[in-house]
Amino acid sequence: KNQKRKNIIDFIQKAKRKLNLSYKIVHLAIYLHDTIISSNYEKYIKISEKICIGCLILAIKFLEKQTEIAPLKNFEFLSSNSFYPLDELKKFEIYSIKKLKYNLSVVTPVDYLEYFESKGILFINDISTMNNYINIKTFRCKIYEILIKSLYHVSYTDFPPIDFAVYALCQARAFF
């Protein structure tokens, strides 16, 4: 179970690098994927990669407001084991949104971290206590790295999103 989960998270990380996706898109896609998988693990785990692709496409369209099909071409070669033509990718997207009951409005840990940062909560004491060579961008990257690594072992459906955000923030603070 953990290896399959790790493969999905790694697949999404690969998509992030290849398609230059934001952390917000990545975590929304993982959250949507986890929501679908948790509703019937035994049934959906067999098609987890397809659901993952569908959720990535939905997250890109939802957060980046991209309605054109052009980004889908990049997904054709993204899969680790298969080639998925555009028609199949569209089916994954439709299948995923139906399983989510058309609800993409969720709060992810990234939303909480962005909120904390916008209110000055996230970095007010962090940067002043760190060495001068650590900057906000480095600290933020460490938080997101910790978030991703934690998802190798647990699903977003296991804990509230704020718990993931606080955990990653505390771990990043302890690291520096």
Side-chain angles (χ1 to χ4, degrees):
K1 185 176 178 179
N2 275 347
Q3 187 57 45
K4 183 73 170 175
R5 175 112 184 121
K6 184 178 183 317
N7 292 344
I8 289 298
I9 301 300
D10 288 345
F11 177 82
I12 292 173
Q13 284 292 90
K14 178 181 171 186
K16 180 192 182 313
R17 288 186 300 274
K18 181 175 180 178
L19 304 174
N20 197 27
L21 301 176
S22 69
Y23 287 113
K24 198 166 185 149
I25 289 171
V26 166
H27 287 276
L28 178 58
I30 294 169
Y31 197 99
L32 298 175
H33 175 270
D34 288 351
T35 301
I36 294 170
I37 295 294
S38 69
S39 67
N40 189 337
Y41 182 83
E42 296 302 320
K43 178 180 177 183
Y44 295 126
I45 197 62
K46 297 175 182 121
I47 57 169
S48 188
E49 184 177 277
K50 294 176 182 179
I51 291 171
C52 182
I53 292 170
C55 291
L56 272 167
I57 294 167
L58 289 171
I60 289 169
K61 287 183 176 181
F62 186 71
L63 292 174
E64 297 294 328
K65 311 291 187 252
Q66 294 179 0
T67 56
E68 297 181 23
I69 300 300
L72 290 180
K73 288 186 178 274
N74 295 318
F75 284 91
E76 287 180 320
F77 302 102
L78 191 60
S79 173
S80 53
N81 302 322
S82 306
F83 169 82
Y84 297 120
L86 287 178
D87 289 346
E88 285 290 307
L89 296 173
K90 291 176 191 176
K91 288 178 186 175
F92 302 161
E93 177 185 6
I94 292 167
Y95 181 84
S96 296
I97 199 158
K98 284 182 178 179
K99 291 298 169 193
L100 292 163
K101 298 177 182 154
Y102 300 90
N103 182 11
L104 303 180
S105 295
V106 296
V107 178
T108 69
V110 174
D111 296 313
Y112 280 107
L113 291 168
E114 287 177 352
Y115 175 77
F116 294 158
E117 186 175 354
S118 74
K119 297 299 180 190
I121 298 169
L122 186 56
F123 302 117
I124 203 160
N125 294 320
D126 300 315
I127 300 305
S128 62
T129 60
M130 292 180 201
N131 295 333
N132 290 335
Y133 66 90
I134 301 295
N135 61 29
I136 290 174
K137 184 177 179 184
T138 303
F139 187 67
R140 189 182 300 120
C141 287
K142 187 65 178 175
I143 291 171
Y144 292 131
E145 176 189 322
I146 291 166
L147 259 181
I148 286 293
K149 286 183 179 177
S150 71
L151 290 170
Y152 284 151
H153 307 290
V154 294
S155 165
Y156 269 145
T157 58
D158 293 338
F159 300 99
I162 194 164
D163 290 357
F164 282 97
V166 170
Y167 169 79
L169 177 57
C170 290
Q171 291 296 312
R173 284 178 173 163
F175 182 80
F176 292 107

